Each structure stands twice: as C-alpha cells, then as structure tokens.
C-alpha cells in the first residue's frame, strides 16, 4: 500500500466536506512550476464557525492534532497574519491553514481559483498570480530565496498561463516592486 500523501491526508477530506479552500505555497508553486521537497501543504480557507466545528470530524483526534475551535477562530480573525496547523499523527505531515487575504488587491482570487485533478481527485489551487504575489510577500518578510526560486520555476514552466499585467499592477499596490524586480531581473540575467 502506498504511503499517504498531502492530498490524501489533508486536501481530499477538506474537499469532500465542502469547505471553501485553495492550495497555496510550495505545493501550488510545484503544481505550476518545478518540483521540490516539502512535508506540508499550505491552504487558504474560508472557515465560518460551522466549518470550524466540522474540522473535528474532518480531522478526527485519533488521527490528527487539531487546535481547539476557539484558537482556530481567533487565528482566522487575524487576517492576514493568522494561521494554525493540523498534523497527521501517523506520518507527521502537516497542513498550515491561513485566512483569506483581504482588500481590493485580492478580490479576484476566489473567482479565479482553479480545480485540477490530482491523482484522479479534484483539488482547488490558488491562481498562479496569487501564489507569486504571496511568495513575494513571504520573501519580503523573511528573505528566503526559496520563494524566488519557486516563482522562477513557475514562470519557466507555466509562464504563458500567468497574467503578468495582474502581477505588475499588484506589486506596485502591495509594495512588492523591489522583490518582483529580483525575479524578472534574474529572468533576463540582470539581477
């Protein structure tokens, strides 16, 4: 029998329960770009109070570590900086849940998430432009080059599917122009 993976352990149960989510972070950047190792999946989820109550059924305590409902609700109210983890006990795999980003720069995201088949099952991915903008923000905050490598991989593999105009409009509004120049400068060999 195959080892469970991030999709089996986190995405499929969430999808089957009808919770509104989208895959972001390194799993999304690999989907649109180049593979790399990761032991977690980042998910943006719109969690209402009833959804939070459902999480205990989706991720039962005998198989998962799940924070208490009040902690989850508090973290989801801390947009854009809130988050909580769910850990699969047997494998150590982890899902990081984040609240949706707010503001006009992000209003297009939910309408543009993409449903793709992963191992024969549907999974919702954030649009690649969102993944790139979020990775630019993470690079600005922490300086990890892995975010820039992920973006470069996405541009190399899925460049024709990526709306650069949307990205360039947003980087100005979000104060990410310097970080974006690091990516496109590298692309042209002039970083």
């Amino acid at each position: 029998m195959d080892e469970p993976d991030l999709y089996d352990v986190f995405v499929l149960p969430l999808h089957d329960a009808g919770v509104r989510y989208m895959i972001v972070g390194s799993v999304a950047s690999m989907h649109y770009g180049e593979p790399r190792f990761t032991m977690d999946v980042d998910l943006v989820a719109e969690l209402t109070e009833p959804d939070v109550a459902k999480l205990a059924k989706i991720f039962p305590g005998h198989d998962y570590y799940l924070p208490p409902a009040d902690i989850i609700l508090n973290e989801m109210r801390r947009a854009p900086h809130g988050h909580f983890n769910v850990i699969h006990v047997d494998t150590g795999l982890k899902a990081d849940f984040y609240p949706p980003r707010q503001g006009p720069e992000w209003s297009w995201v939910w309408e543009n998430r993409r449903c793709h088949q992963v191992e024969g099952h549907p999974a919702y991915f954030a649009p690649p432009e969102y993944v790139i903008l979020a990775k630019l923000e993470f690079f600005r905050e922490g300086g990890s080059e892995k975010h820039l490598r992920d973006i470069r991989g996405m541009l190399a593999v899925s460049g024709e599917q990526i709306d650069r105009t949307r990205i360039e409009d947003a980087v100005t509004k979000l104060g990410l122009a310097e970080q974006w120049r690091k990516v496109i400068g590298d692309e042209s060999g002039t970083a």
Side-chain angles (χ1 to χ4, degrees):
M1 183 172 157
D2 290 334
E3 284 291 312
D5 65 17
L6 294 166
Y7 293 104
D8 294 332
V9 172
F10 298 110
V11 178
L12 291 178
L14 201 63
H15 188 92
D16 290 346
V19 174
R20 193 171 190 205
Y21 75 94
M22 59 186 168
I23 300 167
V24 297
S26 61
V27 172
S29 70
M30 288 187 287
H31 179 73
Y32 295 118
E34 298 171 345
R36 72 172 173 87
F37 180 76
T38 187
M39 288 288 293
D40 70 345
V41 61
D42 297 331
L43 300 159
V44 170
E46 282 191 337
L47 296 175
T48 62
E49 284 193 44
D51 289 328
V52 170
K54 279 199 287 190
L55 288 179
K57 291 180 182 146
I58 298 169
F59 304 116
H62 53 85
D63 291 325
Y64 296 87
Y65 162 76
L66 178 71
D70 60 328
I71 300 293
I72 294 171
L73 287 169
N74 285 337
E75 288 300 311
M76 296 311 284
R77 290 182 188 118
R78 290 184 345 105
H81 301 293
H83 80 282
F84 67 92
N85 309 114
V86 177
I87 300 170
H88 186 248
V89 175
D90 287 346
T91 63
L93 295 172
K94 180 177 72 142
D96 295 320
F97 283 78
Y98 297 91
R101 294 172 189 266
Q102 304 296 315
E105 300 83 15
W106 305 105
S107 62
W108 53 274
V109 173
W110 286 105
E111 294 77 32
N112 289 282
R113 70 183 174 148
R114 300 176 183 186
C115 189
H116 294 277
Q117 293 292 310
V118 177
E119 300 171 7
H121 300 282
Y124 283 105
F125 288 83
E129 299 83 4
Y130 176 95
V131 177
I132 289 170
L133 292 168
K135 285 195 159 286
L136 289 171
E137 283 188 333
F138 284 123
F139 175 73
R140 178 179 59 195
E141 291 169 10
S144 175
E145 290 285 327
K146 72 180 177 183
H147 300 299
L148 300 184
R149 282 192 305 274
D150 287 347
I151 294 168
R152 287 183 205 113
M154 292 174 67
L155 293 171
V157 173
S158 299
E160 72 285 347
Q161 299 173 35
I162 296 171
D163 184 345
R164 286 196 183 211
T165 302
R166 183 181 299 268
I167 293 170
E168 289 168 1
D169 289 346
V171 296
T172 302
K173 294 174 186 168
L174 296 169
L176 297 167
E178 178 184 340
Q179 291 76 20
W180 179 238
R181 278 193 298 276
K182 286 183 183 286
V183 172
I184 60 174
D186 284 355
E187 218 178 30
S188 64
T190 62

